[in-house]
Amino acid sequence: MIKGNLVELRPVIAEDMERLFHWRNDEEAAKWAAGSGLVTYSYVSLDSLKAMYEENVRASRPDDKLKGFVFSVYTLDGEHIGNCDYRDVNPITRTATIGIAIMVKEYWSKGYGTDTLRLLLDFLFSKLNLNRVQLDTWSGNTRAIRAYEKSGFVIEGQLRQNEYVDGQYYDTIMMGLLREEFYQRAKE
C-alpha cells in the first residue's frame, strides 16, 4: 500500500471488480472517466471485468512493474472510491502514461484526486526512476484538468475536435510532467 493524506493506493483485489462494474455502468461517472471512450468503457459485464482482473493479476507480478500496474484508490477509512494506473512504460526514455478515476461522486472536488496523483507520481518518479509522465483527457473535463495542473502538469498539445461527448465535439488535451518539475513543486 502507498499511503497519503486522504487516500491509499492498493493492489486491485477481486472484490473491487463489483464496485468497478457498478461505476463503469454509471453513465455520469463513466463519462468523466472515459470521455468519448464511454461506449467501450461502459456497458461491460461483471464477467468481463473479472477476466480483466485475472489477466491484470497475472501480468502485474512485482517483477513486472515496468509493464504497468493498476491500483485501487481507497480512503484512509477504507472506502474504495476509484482507481489509477500507469502503462506504456518506456525504460529507455523513462516515460509512462497514467490514468486516474475517482468514481464515487461524493469524493469529487475534495482533494482525493490530487492526493491520488501525488502518490502515484511520487511512486513513479522515486521508485521506478521515471523522468516524464503523461496523460490525456477531454477539454470538457475541466475538474480533471484543474487537478492535473494543480499537480504540476502542463498542457503540451491538443487534438482538435477529437472527442465526442453528449452530442458535442471536444479537444483531446495532452499533458505532461517532468520529474524535476514534480519535485520542485513539492518543495514549494
Side-chain angles (χ1 to χ4, degrees), residues 90 92-96 124-126 128-134 176-182:
N90 183 324
I92 306 298
T93 61
R94 296 178 22 230
T95 60
L124 293 172
F125 290 132
S126 67
L128 295 189
N129 196 30
L130 295 184
N131 184 59
R132 181 179 187 285
V133 173
Q134 66 189 36
L177 177 65
L178 301 176
R179 172 193 190 107
E180 65 192 44
E181 296 167 337
F182 176 73

PDB file of all heavy atoms in Angstrom, residues 90 92-96 124-126 128-134 176-182:
ATOM      1  N   ASN A  90       8.273   3.232 -20.995  1.00  0.00           N
ATOM      2  CA  ASN A  90       9.410   3.133 -21.903  1.00  0.00           C
ATOM      3  C   ASN A  90      10.675   3.214 -21.046  1.00  0.00           C
ATOM      4  O   ASN A  90      11.007   4.291 -20.550  1.00  0.00           O
ATOM      5  CB  ASN A  90       9.381   4.262 -22.932  1.00  0.00           C
ATOM      6  CG  ASN A  90      10.503   4.150 -23.939  1.00  0.00           C
ATOM      7  OD1 ASN A  90      11.610   3.741 -23.612  1.00  0.00           O
ATOM      8  ND2 ASN A  90      10.216   4.537 -25.167  1.00  0.00           N
ATOM      9  N   ILE A  92      13.739   3.139 -21.849  1.00  0.00           N
ATOM     10  CA  ILE A  92      14.837   3.892 -22.466  1.00  0.00           C
ATOM     11  C   ILE A  92      14.673   5.382 -22.171  1.00  0.00           C
ATOM     12  O   ILE A  92      15.582   6.048 -21.682  1.00  0.00           O
ATOM     13  CB  ILE A  92      14.899   3.651 -23.994  1.00  0.00           C
ATOM     14  CG1 ILE A  92      14.964   2.152 -24.317  1.00  0.00           C
ATOM     15  CG2 ILE A  92      16.059   4.434 -24.611  1.00  0.00           C
ATOM     16  CD1 ILE A  92      16.172   1.431 -23.786  1.00  0.00           C
ATOM     17  N   THR A  93      13.489   5.913 -22.475  1.00  0.00           N
ATOM     18  CA  THR A  93      13.237   7.342 -22.245  1.00  0.00           C
ATOM     19  C   THR A  93      12.733   7.617 -20.832  1.00  0.00           C
ATOM     20  O   THR A  93      12.586   8.769 -20.443  1.00  0.00           O
ATOM     21  CB  THR A  93      12.203   7.878 -23.254  1.00  0.00           C
ATOM     22  OG1 THR A  93      10.969   7.176 -23.089  1.00  0.00           O
ATOM     23  CG2 THR A  93      12.710   7.750 -24.672  1.00  0.00           C
ATOM     24  N   ARG A  94      12.449   6.541 -20.076  1.00  0.00           N
ATOM     25  CA  ARG A  94      11.953   6.633 -18.696  1.00  0.00           C
ATOM     26  C   ARG A  94      10.666   7.456 -18.641  1.00  0.00           C
ATOM     27  O   ARG A  94      10.545   8.409 -17.889  1.00  0.00           O
ATOM     28  CB  ARG A  94      13.038   7.171 -17.771  1.00  0.00           C
ATOM     29  CG  ARG A  94      14.220   6.228 -17.691  1.00  0.00           C
ATOM     30  CD  ARG A  94      15.392   6.662 -16.840  1.00  0.00           C
ATOM     31  NE  ARG A  94      15.134   7.626 -15.828  1.00  0.00           N
ATOM     32  CZ  ARG A  94      15.853   8.733 -15.654  1.00  0.00           C
ATOM     33  NH1 ARG A  94      16.880   8.986 -16.455  1.00  0.00           N
ATOM     34  NH2 ARG A  94      15.580   9.566 -14.676  1.00  0.00           N
ATOM     35  N   THR A  95       9.690   7.039 -19.448  1.00  0.00           N
ATOM     36  CA  THR A  95       8.394   7.704 -19.513  1.00  0.00           C
ATOM     37  C   THR A  95       7.270   6.695 -19.302  1.00  0.00           C
ATOM     38  O   THR A  95       7.465   5.492 -19.463  1.00  0.00           O
ATOM     39  CB  THR A  95       8.192   8.397 -20.878  1.00  0.00           C
ATOM     40  OG1 THR A  95       8.268   7.403 -21.913  1.00  0.00           O
ATOM     41  CG2 THR A  95       9.245   9.462 -21.132  1.00  0.00           C
ATOM     42  N   ALA A  96       6.092   7.215 -18.966  1.00  0.00           N
ATOM     43  CA  ALA A  96       4.906   6.372 -18.822  1.00  0.00           C
ATOM     44  C   ALA A  96       3.671   7.240 -18.999  1.00  0.00           C
ATOM     45  O   ALA A  96       3.720   8.475 -18.899  1.00  0.00           O
ATOM     46  CB  ALA A  96       4.870   5.699 -17.457  1.00  0.00           C
ATOM     47  N   LEU A 124       6.129   6.747  -9.170  1.00  0.00           N
ATOM     48  CA  LEU A 124       6.729   6.596 -10.498  1.00  0.00           C
ATOM     49  C   LEU A 124       8.091   7.281 -10.593  1.00  0.00           C
ATOM     50  O   LEU A 124       9.028   6.739 -11.191  1.00  0.00           O
ATOM     51  CB  LEU A 124       5.783   7.139 -11.572  1.00  0.00           C
ATOM     52  CG  LEU A 124       4.492   6.348 -11.737  1.00  0.00           C
ATOM     53  CD1 LEU A 124       3.541   7.071 -12.675  1.00  0.00           C
ATOM     54  CD2 LEU A 124       4.766   4.939 -12.210  1.00  0.00           C
ATOM     55  N   PHE A 125       8.211   8.474 -10.018  1.00  0.00           N
ATOM     56  CA  PHE A 125       9.481   9.199 -10.101  1.00  0.00           C
ATOM     57  C   PHE A 125      10.531   8.649  -9.134  1.00  0.00           C
ATOM     58  O   PHE A 125      11.705   8.549  -9.478  1.00  0.00           O
ATOM     59  CB  PHE A 125       9.268  10.691  -9.857  1.00  0.00           C
ATOM     60  CG  PHE A 125       8.527  11.385 -10.971  1.00  0.00           C
ATOM     61  CD1 PHE A 125       7.464  12.226 -10.687  1.00  0.00           C
ATOM     62  CD2 PHE A 125       8.875  11.210 -12.300  1.00  0.00           C
ATOM     63  CE1 PHE A 125       6.772  12.884 -11.702  1.00  0.00           C
ATOM     64  CE2 PHE A 125       8.193  11.850 -13.329  1.00  0.00           C
ATOM     65  CZ  PHE A 125       7.147  12.697 -13.028  1.00  0.00           C
ATOM     66  N   SER A 126      10.127   8.265  -7.927  1.00  0.00           N
ATOM     67  CA  SER A 126      11.124   7.823  -6.945  1.00  0.00           C
ATOM     68  C   SER A 126      11.411   6.320  -7.020  1.00  0.00           C
ATOM     69  O   SER A 126      12.567   5.917  -6.906  1.00  0.00           O
ATOM     70  CB  SER A 126      10.696   8.207  -5.529  1.00  0.00           C
ATOM     71  OG  SER A 126       9.547   7.485  -5.138  1.00  0.00           O
ATOM     72  N   LEU A 128      10.317   4.007  -9.600  1.00  0.00           N
ATOM     73  CA  LEU A 128      10.602   3.494 -10.951  1.00  0.00           C
ATOM     74  C   LEU A 128      11.593   4.369 -11.706  1.00  0.00           C
ATOM     75  O   LEU A 128      11.948   4.068 -12.843  1.00  0.00           O
ATOM     76  CB  LEU A 128       9.307   3.363 -11.759  1.00  0.00           C
ATOM     77  CG  LEU A 128       8.297   2.345 -11.251  1.00  0.00           C
ATOM     78  CD1 LEU A 128       7.167   2.163 -12.256  1.00  0.00           C
ATOM     79  CD2 LEU A 128       8.941   1.004 -10.947  1.00  0.00           C
ATOM     80  N   ASN A 129      12.006   5.472 -11.074  1.00  0.00           N
ATOM     81  CA  ASN A 129      13.022   6.365 -11.640  1.00  0.00           C
ATOM     82  C   ASN A 129      12.628   6.919 -13.011  1.00  0.00           C
ATOM     83  O   ASN A 129      13.460   7.085 -13.896  1.00  0.00           O
ATOM     84  CB  ASN A 129      14.377   5.649 -11.716  1.00  0.00           C
ATOM     85  CG  ASN A 129      15.517   6.617 -11.928  1.00  0.00           C
ATOM     86  OD1 ASN A 129      15.459   7.768 -11.505  1.00  0.00           O
ATOM     87  ND2 ASN A 129      16.557   6.157 -12.597  1.00  0.00           N
ATOM     88  N   LEU A 130      11.333   7.200 -13.183  1.00  0.00           N
ATOM     89  CA  LEU A 130      10.901   7.790 -14.443  1.00  0.00           C
ATOM     90  C   LEU A 130      11.308   9.257 -14.510  1.00  0.00           C
ATOM     91  O   LEU A 130      11.519   9.905 -13.481  1.00  0.00           O
ATOM     92  CB  LEU A 130       9.383   7.670 -14.604  1.00  0.00           C
ATOM     93  CG  LEU A 130       8.833   6.246 -14.724  1.00  0.00           C
ATOM     94  CD1 LEU A 130       7.331   6.274 -14.970  1.00  0.00           C
ATOM     95  CD2 LEU A 130       9.541   5.463 -15.827  1.00  0.00           C
ATOM     96  N   ASN A 131      11.396   9.775 -15.720  1.00  0.00           N
ATOM     97  CA  ASN A 131      11.738  11.180 -15.936  1.00  0.00           C
ATOM     98  C   ASN A 131      10.532  11.998 -16.387  1.00  0.00           C
ATOM     99  O   ASN A 131      10.493  13.211 -16.170  1.00  0.00           O
ATOM    100  CB  ASN A 131      12.854  11.313 -16.983  1.00  0.00           C
ATOM    101  CG  ASN A 131      13.294  12.745 -17.151  1.00  0.00           C
ATOM    102  OD1 ASN A 131      13.725  13.369 -16.198  1.00  0.00           O
ATOM    103  ND2 ASN A 131      13.156  13.271 -18.366  1.00  0.00           N
ATOM    104  N   ARG A 132       9.555  11.344 -17.009  1.00  0.00           N
ATOM    105  CA  ARG A 132       8.410  12.065 -17.572  1.00  0.00           C
ATOM    106  C   ARG A 132       7.169  11.196 -17.477  1.00  0.00           C
ATOM    107  O   ARG A 132       7.221   9.992 -17.699  1.00  0.00           O
ATOM    108  CB  ARG A 132       8.678  12.390 -19.037  1.00  0.00           C
ATOM    109  CG  ARG A 132       7.592  13.146 -19.719  1.00  0.00           C
ATOM    110  CD  ARG A 132       7.980  13.454 -21.192  1.00  0.00           C
ATOM    111  NE  ARG A 132       7.011  14.315 -21.790  1.00  0.00           N
ATOM    112  CZ  ARG A 132       5.798  13.925 -22.181  1.00  0.00           C
ATOM    113  NH1 ARG A 132       5.428  12.677 -22.055  1.00  0.00           N
ATOM    114  NH2 ARG A 132       4.959  14.784 -22.709  1.00  0.00           N
ATOM    115  N   VAL A 133       6.047  11.837 -17.154  1.00  0.00           N
ATOM    116  CA  VAL A 133       4.759  11.157 -17.101  1.00  0.00           C
ATOM    117  C   VAL A 133       3.781  11.979 -17.932  1.00  0.00           C
ATOM    118  O   VAL A 133       3.818  13.206 -17.916  1.00  0.00           O
ATOM    119  CB  VAL A 133       4.266  11.021 -15.641  1.00  0.00           C
ATOM    120  CG1 VAL A 133       2.859  10.469 -15.582  1.00  0.00           C
ATOM    121  CG2 VAL A 133       5.215  10.149 -14.842  1.00  0.00           C
ATOM    122  N   GLN A 134       2.922  11.295 -18.648  1.00  0.00           N
ATOM    123  CA  GLN A 134       1.943  11.996 -19.482  1.00  0.00           C
ATOM    124  C   GLN A 134       0.564  11.412 -19.278  1.00  0.00           C
ATOM    125  O   GLN A 134       0.399  10.326 -18.735  1.00  0.00           O
ATOM    126  CB  GLN A 134       2.330  11.910 -20.947  1.00  0.00           C
ATOM    127  CG  GLN A 134       2.280  10.505 -21.506  1.00  0.00           C
ATOM    128  CD  GLN A 134       2.871  10.416 -22.886  1.00  0.00           C
ATOM    129  OE1 GLN A 134       3.842  11.088 -23.205  1.00  0.00           O
ATOM    130  NE2 GLN A 134       2.288   9.576 -23.718  1.00  0.00           N
ATOM    131  N   GLY A 176       1.763  16.815 -19.726  1.00  0.00           N
ATOM    132  CA  GLY A 176       2.957  16.114 -19.281  1.00  0.00           C
ATOM    133  C   GLY A 176       3.553  16.762 -18.045  1.00  0.00           C
ATOM    134  O   GLY A 176       3.299  17.930 -17.743  1.00  0.00           O
ATOM    135  N   LEU A 177       4.355  15.984 -17.343  1.00  0.00           N
ATOM    136  CA  LEU A 177       5.032  16.441 -16.131  1.00  0.00           C
ATOM    137  C   LEU A 177       6.407  15.793 -16.073  1.00  0.00           C
ATOM    138  O   LEU A 177       6.531  14.573 -16.251  1.00  0.00           O
ATOM    139  CB  LEU A 177       4.219  16.054 -14.893  1.00  0.00           C
ATOM    140  CG  LEU A 177       4.817  16.381 -13.529  1.00  0.00           C
ATOM    141  CD1 LEU A 177       4.943  17.894 -13.327  1.00  0.00           C
ATOM    142  CD2 LEU A 177       3.970  15.774 -12.418  1.00  0.00           C
ATOM    143  N   LEU A 178       7.417  16.622 -15.838  1.00  0.00           N
ATOM    144  CA  LEU A 178       8.777  16.120 -15.695  1.00  0.00           C
ATOM    145  C   LEU A 178       9.111  15.893 -14.227  1.00  0.00           C
ATOM    146  O   LEU A 178       8.587  16.584 -13.347  1.00  0.00           O
ATOM    147  CB  LEU A 178       9.782  17.108 -16.295  1.00  0.00           C
ATOM    148  CG  LEU A 178       9.599  17.440 -17.770  1.00  0.00           C
ATOM    149  CD1 LEU A 178      10.603  18.491 -18.206  1.00  0.00           C
ATOM    150  CD2 LEU A 178       9.694  16.187 -18.627  1.00  0.00           C
ATOM    151  N   ARG A 179       9.988  14.973 -13.991  1.00  0.00           N
ATOM    152  CA  ARG A 179      10.413  14.649 -12.629  1.00  0.00           C
ATOM    153  C   ARG A 179      10.865  15.895 -11.869  1.00  0.00           C
ATOM    154  O   ARG A 179      10.440  16.130 -10.740  1.00  0.00           O
ATOM    155  CB  ARG A 179      11.540  13.618 -12.721  1.00  0.00           C
ATOM    156  CG  ARG A 179      12.229  13.288 -11.451  1.00  0.00           C
ATOM    157  CD  ARG A 179      13.531  12.507 -11.780  1.00  0.00           C
ATOM    158  NE  ARG A 179      14.092  11.986 -10.586  1.00  0.00           N
ATOM    159  CZ  ARG A 179      14.081  10.719 -10.231  1.00  0.00           C
ATOM    160  NH1 ARG A 179      13.541   9.827 -11.023  1.00  0.00           N
ATOM    161  NH2 ARG A 179      14.620  10.324  -9.121  1.00  0.00           N
ATOM    162  N   GLU A 180      11.736  16.695 -12.487  1.00  0.00           N
ATOM    163  CA  GLU A 180      12.268  17.893 -11.817  1.00  0.00           C
ATOM    164  C   GLU A 180      11.148  18.881 -11.478  1.00  0.00           C
ATOM    165  O   GLU A 180      11.190  19.533 -10.432  1.00  0.00           O
ATOM    166  CB  GLU A 180      13.353  18.558 -12.656  1.00  0.00           C
ATOM    167  CG  GLU A 180      12.842  19.106 -13.977  1.00  0.00           C
ATOM    168  CD  GLU A 180      13.935  19.500 -14.946  1.00  0.00           C
ATOM    169  OE1 GLU A 180      14.912  18.726 -15.089  1.00  0.00           O
ATOM    170  OE2 GLU A 180      13.811  20.569 -15.566  1.00  0.00           O
ATOM    171  N   GLU A 181      10.135  18.983 -12.332  1.00  0.00           N
ATOM    172  CA  GLU A 181       9.007  19.873 -12.053  1.00  0.00           C
ATOM    173  C   GLU A 181       8.196  19.374 -10.854  1.00  0.00           C
ATOM    174  O   GLU A 181       7.760  20.168 -10.019  1.00  0.00           O
ATOM    175  CB  GLU A 181       8.099  19.986 -13.277  1.00  0.00           C
ATOM    176  CG  GLU A 181       8.760  20.620 -14.469  1.00  0.00           C
ATOM    177  CD  GLU A 181       7.971  20.436 -15.764  1.00  0.00           C
ATOM    178  OE1 GLU A 181       7.154  19.480 -15.856  1.00  0.00           O
ATOM    179  OE2 GLU A 181       8.187  21.239 -16.689  1.00  0.00           O
ATOM    180  N   PHE A 182       8.003  18.068 -10.791  1.00  0.00           N
ATOM    181  CA  PHE A 182       7.244  17.487  -9.685  1.00  0.00           C
ATOM    182  C   PHE A 182       7.937  17.755  -8.355  1.00  0.00           C
ATOM    183  O   PHE A 182       7.315  18.194  -7.384  1.00  0.00           O
ATOM    184  CB  PHE A 182       7.081  15.982  -9.905  1.00  0.00           C
ATOM    185  CG  PHE A 182       6.396  15.285  -8.768  1.00  0.00           C
ATOM    186  CD1 PHE A 182       5.033  15.429  -8.557  1.00  0.00           C
ATOM    187  CD2 PHE A 182       7.113  14.470  -7.910  1.00  0.00           C
ATOM    188  CE1 PHE A 182       4.383  14.779  -7.509  1.00  0.00           C
ATOM    189  CE2 PHE A 182       6.478  13.806  -6.863  1.00  0.00           C
ATOM    190  CZ  PHE A 182       5.115  13.977  -6.655  1.00  0.00           C
TER     191      PHE A 182
END
